[in-house]
Amino acid sequence: MSELLVGVTGGIAAYKTADLVSKLSQRGDRVTVVMTANATQFVGAATFAALSGRPVAQDLFDASYPLGAHIELARRAKLLCIAPASANFMAQAAQGLSPDLLT
């Protein structure tokens, strides 16, 4: 059983990530999903919350993470998977830009 962090960016392939989260959860992994605002235009956060059994992280300043969501999520995760990794996300990551929790 692993602690996994799945990042979802805005792209039509985001619907396939729902299947990934479902399979990981059914396998017994503890999955937390982080979504960009654009990702929610393709698959709703409620879908990922239902599949993972956990709240979806979207807000950098979420009060449920006292030390900051970016710190607490990174500390507990053994693996980060970005699926899909949109071109916009890749460009932001390459340039060190972080307009949202996932980047």
Side-chain angles (χ1 to χ4, degrees):
M1 194 180 305
S2 296
E3 186 72 35
L4 308 175
L5 192 58
V6 176
V8 185
T9 68
I12 191 61
Y15 79 93
K16 291 185 175 187
T17 309
D19 184 51
L20 171 66
V21 169
S22 175
K23 288 178 179 172
L24 291 170
S25 295
Q26 289 174 19
R27 187 175 87 166
D29 292 313
R30 296 179 302 264
V31 180
T32 300
V33 175
V34 179
M35 295 181 76
T36 64
N38 287 340
T40 64
Q41 299 301 308
F42 294 94
V43 180
T47 298
F48 286 108
L51 293 172
S52 68
R54 292 180 164 189
V56 172
Q58 295 177 285
D59 185 8
L60 187 59
F61 301 103
D62 187 333
S64 62
Y65 299 98
L67 296 177
H70 63 295
I71 294 170
E72 292 190 32
L73 291 170
R75 278 186 178 171
R76 73 179 185 207
K78 299 293 181 196
L79 177 73
L80 168 64
C81 172
I82 309 295
S86 67
N88 184 52
F89 172 83
M90 299 289 284
Q92 288 173 346
Q95 295 177 17
L97 303 175
S98 56
D100 55 41
L101 176 58
L102 182 57
T103 51

